[in-house]
Amino acid sequence: MMEPMRSTTAALENGAATSPALDSGAATPPDVAISDKPLQFGVIGYGYWGPQLVRNLGSLKNSSVEYIADLDDGQLTRAHTHHRHTHLTRATSDLFESDIDGVVIATPVHTHYKLARAALLAGKHVMVEKPLAARTSEVEELAKLAEECQRVLMVGYTFLYHTAVRELRRIITAGQLGKLYYIDAQRLNLGLFRQDVNVVWDLAPHDLSILRYLLDADPVAVRANGAAHIQRSIQDVTYIHMTYASGLIAHLQVSWLHPLKVRRLTVVGDQKMAVYDDVNPDEKIRIYNKGVDRPEPTTTFEAFQLSYRSGETTAPAIGWREPLLVECEHFAECIRTGQQPLTDAYWSLPVTRTLEAIQHSLEQYGKEVAV
């Protein structure tokens, strides 16, 4: 039987717990001995993201993907073309009743809770694509169930396993930017349009999880305005304003209706500024030695004066490993060692709470909502 999961609920609720393996940029810390026991996985959902999960899980050492489940016969036919020796099925119960170790869920958001709950009750370790569920109450229930079943429950916030995001966290934590003034984030593209959730639930979890990871903090209030241009009552563009207890403000724009693919996050501090541009293939992070200084006046009659600073621009060297591969390695590591995932259900809980607050603000035409 697996060693009981080491609970870090309190630390994770505060956003304080991180994985040494991930912060160092390595797949696993050098002092952790990982069992060579083979792991078998099943993937539910072979649409947009499922094939990437199957590819990465199948590339792990001593691991294999034994089952792929999807309700669409066309998707199963496509899976058969690339994975002829994998069990293909329309019935998720086939996975739950098998002897596989872990189930990975990449299905529409409204199905996450039911499938994750069934997998945990079947004794499987579970990884679910973001968001874990559409309600805070469902996330809380799944978190407690995973503890009771002594099983890993991990949420696929892929960008937290990105070397550039981990480097940006290091830069902020080391104080290189000084006191943070504000953060501006954009996640824009043409599509992919969803029918079960709006653009907030589809794209905003990426940036909300990144902000939580960078700041070790969650917003205390949100305001959101959006519009549904293509599908009635399903917002395809939304502007989100968030306020933190420290006085920091963050602005997030998400859209399925934009001519360019944009994944940019700007962090402005009183010493320096940083831009993380995931679309840039050469320089993911640039640090700007720019700012505005306001000297303390020596007399009450001294003229208003500002000093503008514009120094060098640097781009730290950042090694590359596919974030989804690092995420899958972390999931396997947690199964084998009993380690708590960096992005477990408790860590995910404040992200879902913020998403709910944003949704409530949208429904109230931009009214500020406490988180």
Side-chain angles (χ1 to χ4, degrees), residues 46 57 78 92 99 114 122 160 176 188 202 206 222 235 244 272 316 320 345 365:
Y46 198 76
L57 289 166
R78 182 163 65 106
T92 56
D99 57 359
K114 182 178 180 180
L160 271 61
Q176 293 184 26
L188 320 170
D202 180 38
H206 287 305
V222 301
Q235 289 85 359
Y244 290 77
K272 295 182 179 181
W320 168 256
Y365 305 100

Side-chain angles (χ1 to χ4, degrees), residues 331-343:
F331 181 45
E333 172 191 350
C334 291
I335 292 174
R336 287 178 167 133
T337 66
Q339 175 184 337
Q340 200 80 9
L342 167 66
T343 51

Side-chain angles (χ1 to χ4, degrees), residues 249-262:
I249 60 173
H251 183 264
L252 171 58
Q253 178 189 1
V254 288
S255 176
W256 290 326
L257 200 58
H258 195 273
L260 302 176
K261 181 177 182 178
V262 180

